[in-house]
């Protein structure tokens, strides 16, 4: 008899990004302790029968905005309700943001960790947001990278937070010099301003006009610019929420030129197209960059299949419904964003495997493994392997669902998927070795999630600053 485990998962099929096999999984001390031939003699404090289930690494949501400040208030979720919704859907790690605010960057980062640690039920990391190249923030970049905040976000649009070309270069140079990963909300501000001015002059400001106020060209132009900067600095660059073909073409071009570009897309771009802006409750879908056309959606799926798209985030932002609706005739007044942390994994599985014909290994790649590699979490996350964190989703590929089954973070918010349906749901979820979802019911513990401090990266050879 082998030494005892805390937990033993028997009878399932283990699925990683490169292989699948019938194996039993032993868990001890919060980590995967053994992968055993089915039926191997072993003792455990608890066993789970995974017959008919896929045992996959827990999902990594690369893009969430939990308890997010806006317009002198915050979204209707908190760290407990958001992470509870995430793990019920099969996500065991989220990457959130440190919002811009008064005070030094390092102090803001530490405060955000304390806020999350009190209530999160799953592990979490952060992308600090940089809004200016002032001396204090530049000096703090090395400090926060050393403390484990290694990926950053910069906006190239929005008057209250954007960085111009020179500030982007200064901040990227400081991030790269300290082994961090620069990331961008990549849209050219001047192109957006021109497009919106045209709409104002012509009086075309309805919801059906919204996608044209933020053309794909704006994304492509900025991706070209920051990719050139990254190539010169010898650093990878992360592009948040790539929305369609123009942006994806720019990513492909930059990769061919030698830049390491990690392209993220989001669940809503994969599940919907711009027809939502002429449908019922179109206000729900005002997101930036916009949901684009059917051809863009298909191209994003091609990017997932060929590896151009590295990760899929939810871009979760749980506005109170009253903050979004009521401006059907002028999209300028609708805050951009929507909730979705609970739906990311079921919607992604259904669209990827059931609709698009990807295999479960490809699903694992885009749901977890590629994100873990890009963000410095691998091999701790993103793989069912001995020594990895025991973040495991026991997935029932035959279980059907409707939008009503994907429980939101609060009844005060809304869903982009309430009219959706699909097949494939988490039956059990293990996070850090703890059974946190049992037969679809939450069984987790408030405050059990851990901050994921990540190590700096090495710069690429031939970098020039």
């Amino acid at each position: 008899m082998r030494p005892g485990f805390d937990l033993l998962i028997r009878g399932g099929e283990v699925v990683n990004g490169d292989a699948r096999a019938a194996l039993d999984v032993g868990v001890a001390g919060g980590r995967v302790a053994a992968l055993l031939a089915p039926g191997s003699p072993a003792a455990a404090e608890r066993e789970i029968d995974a017959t008919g289930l896929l045992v996959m690494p827990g999902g990594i949501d690369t893009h969430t905005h939990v308890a997010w400040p806006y317009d002198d208030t915050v979204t209707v979720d908190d760290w407990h309700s958001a992470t509870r919704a995430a793990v019920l859907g099969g996500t065991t790690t989220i990457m959130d943001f440190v919002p811009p605010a008064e005070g030094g960057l390092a102090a803001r980062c530490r405060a955000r960790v304390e806020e999350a640690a009190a209530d999160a039920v799953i592990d979490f990391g952060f992308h600090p947001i940089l809004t200016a190249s002032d001396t204090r923030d530049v000096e703090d970049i090395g400090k926060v990278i050393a403390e484990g905040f290694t990926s950053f976000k910069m906006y190239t649009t929005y008057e209250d937070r954007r960085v111009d070309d020179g500030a982007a270069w200064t901040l990227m140079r400081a991030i790269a010099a300290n082994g961090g990963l620069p990331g961008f909300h990549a849209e050219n501000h001047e192109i957006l301003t021109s497009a919106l001015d045209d709409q104002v002059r012509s009086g075309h400001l309805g919801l059906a006009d919204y996608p044209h106020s933020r053309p794909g060209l704006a994304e492509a132009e900025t991706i070209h610019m920051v990719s050139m900067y990254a190539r010169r600095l010898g650093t990878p660059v992360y592009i948040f929420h790539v929305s369609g073909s123009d942006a994806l073409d720019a990513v492909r071009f930059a990769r061919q030129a030698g830049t390491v570009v990690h392209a993220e897309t989001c669940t809503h771009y994969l599940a919907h197209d711009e027809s939502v802006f002429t449908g019922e409750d179109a206000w729900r879908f005002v997101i930036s960059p916009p949901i684009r056309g059917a051809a863009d959606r298909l191209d994003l799926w091609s990017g997932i299949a060929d590896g151009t798209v590295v990760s899929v985030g939810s871009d979760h932002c749980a506005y109170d419904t009253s903050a979004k609706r009521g401006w059907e005739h002028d999209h300028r007044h609708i805050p951009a964003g929507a909730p979705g942390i609970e739906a990311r994994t079921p919607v992604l599985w259904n669209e990827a495997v059931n609709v698009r014909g990807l295999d479960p290994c490809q699903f694992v790649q885009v749901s977890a493994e590629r994100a873990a590699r890009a963000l410095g979490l691998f091999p701790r996350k993103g793989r069912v392997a001995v020594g990895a964190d025991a973040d495991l989703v026991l997935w029932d590929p035959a279980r059907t669902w409707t939008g009503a089954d994907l429980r939101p973070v609060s009844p005060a918010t809304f869903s982009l998927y309430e009219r959706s349906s699909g097949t494939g749901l988490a039956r059990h979820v293990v996070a850090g070795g703890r059974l946190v979802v049992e037969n679809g019911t939450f069984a987790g513990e408030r405050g059990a999630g851990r901050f994921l401090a990540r190590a700096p990266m090495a710069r690429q050879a031939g970098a020039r600053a």
Side-chain angles (χ1 to χ4, degrees), residues 400-423:
T400 60
W401 54 267
T402 66
D405 298 315
L406 307 179
R407 286 161 270 188
V409 296
S410 166
T413 193
F414 56 95
S415 173
L416 301 182
Y417 309 100
E418 66 175 20
R419 300 181 186 92
S420 301
S421 61
T423 303

Side-chain angles (χ1 to χ4, degrees), residues 15 90 101 105-106 145 153 225 250 255 279 335 349 374 377 380 396 410:
V15 181
L105 176 62
I145 288 173
K153 184 177 185 180
M225 180 192 76
R255 285 186 168 188
W349 170 274
L377 296 170
R380 180 178 178 182
D396 185 347
S410 166

Side-chain angles (χ1 to χ4, degrees), residues 84 88 399 407 426-427 435-444:
R84 180 182 186 275
L88 281 166
R399 185 178 170 194
R407 286 161 270 188
R427 186 184 297 179
L435 187 62
V436 294
V437 175
E438 185 173 4
N439 288 314
T441 299
F442 179 71

Side-chain angles (χ1 to χ4, degrees), residues 337-415:
I341 201 169
E342 73 285 353
R344 187 196 78 104
T345 311
V347 171
L348 181 59
W349 170 274
N350 186 67
E351 289 286 332
V353 178
N354 300 332
V355 177
R356 308 291 166 182
L358 276 64
D359 65 45
C361 292
Q362 290 173 294
F363 168 80
V364 166
Q365 289 172 15
V366 76
S367 174
E369 184 174 324
R370 293 178 192 162
R373 291 181 184 275
L375 295 174
L377 296 170
F378 192 86
R380 180 178 178 182
K381 306 288 186 184
R383 190 168 183 84
V384 183
V386 173
D389 285 354
D391 292 350
L392 307 168
V393 176
L394 280 62
W395 192 259
D396 185 347
R399 185 178 170 194
T400 60
W401 54 267
T402 66
D405 298 315
L406 307 179
R407 286 161 270 188
V409 296
S410 166
T413 193
F414 56 95
S415 173

Side-chain angles (χ1 to χ4, degrees), residues 176-192:
N178 288 281
L181 174 64
F184 285 89
H185 174 129
E187 290 182 288
N188 179 283
H189 184 72
E190 287 71 26
I191 292 175
L192 299 187

Side-chain angles (χ1 to χ4, degrees), residues 74 137 168 208 269 303 342 363 444:
V74 295
D137 270 6
Y269 302 126
E342 73 285 353
F363 168 80

Side-chain angles (χ1 to χ4, degrees), residues 65-254:
H65 299 273
V66 175
W68 196 249
Y70 73 101
D71 293 342
D72 299 320
T73 185
V74 295
T75 51
V76 296
D77 58 353
D78 58 29
W79 283 95
H80 183 258
S81 66
T83 54
R84 180 182 186 275
V87 79
L88 281 166
T91 292
T92 56
T93 297
I94 66 169
M95 296 297 299
D96 205 90
F97 298 88
V98 179
E102 296 298 322
L105 176 62
R108 298 199 308 270
C109 288
R110 293 169 192 149
R112 189 71 164 157
V113 170
E114 290 179 10
E115 175 190 340
D119 291 323
V121 302
I122 56 175
D123 291 353
F124 54 90
F126 290 107
H127 316 284
I129 292 175
L130 303 175
T131 58
S133 56
D134 61 87
T135 303
R136 186 175 183 183
D137 270 6
V138 171
E139 290 177 348
D140 267 1
I141 284 171
K143 184 183 299 182
V144 300
I145 288 173
E147 293 181 10
F149 303 85
T150 58
S151 53
F152 295 81
K153 184 177 185 180
M154 291 159 276
Y155 291 87
T156 57
T157 187
Y158 302 119
E159 289 290 359
D160 62 338
R161 70 195 82 163
R162 75 184 183 100
V163 298
D164 61 23
D165 295 3
W169 170 256
T170 298
L171 291 166
M172 288 182 74
R173 185 169 56 187
I175 293 166
N178 288 281
L181 174 64
F184 285 89
H185 174 129
E187 290 182 288
N188 179 283
H189 184 72
E190 287 71 26
I191 292 175
L192 299 187
T193 299
S194 176
L196 185 59
D197 285 348
D198 287 346
Q199 288 192 334
V200 172
R201 283 193 294 270
S202 64
H204 292 124
L205 291 166
L207 293 178
D209 302 305
Y210 174 67
H212 307 293
S213 72
R214 308 185 82 97
L217 174 64
E219 281 186 86
E221 191 280 337
T222 299
I223 292 170
H224 283 301
M225 180 192 76
V226 300
S227 296
M228 182 177 65
Y229 288 3
R231 191 159 60 251
R232 175 65 62 91
L233 291 167
T235 180
V237 63
Y238 193 94
I239 307 297
F240 293 94
H241 46 48
V242 167
S243 69
S245 300
D246 286 335
L248 206 58
D249 286 347
V251 170
R252 290 182 173 125
F253 181 90

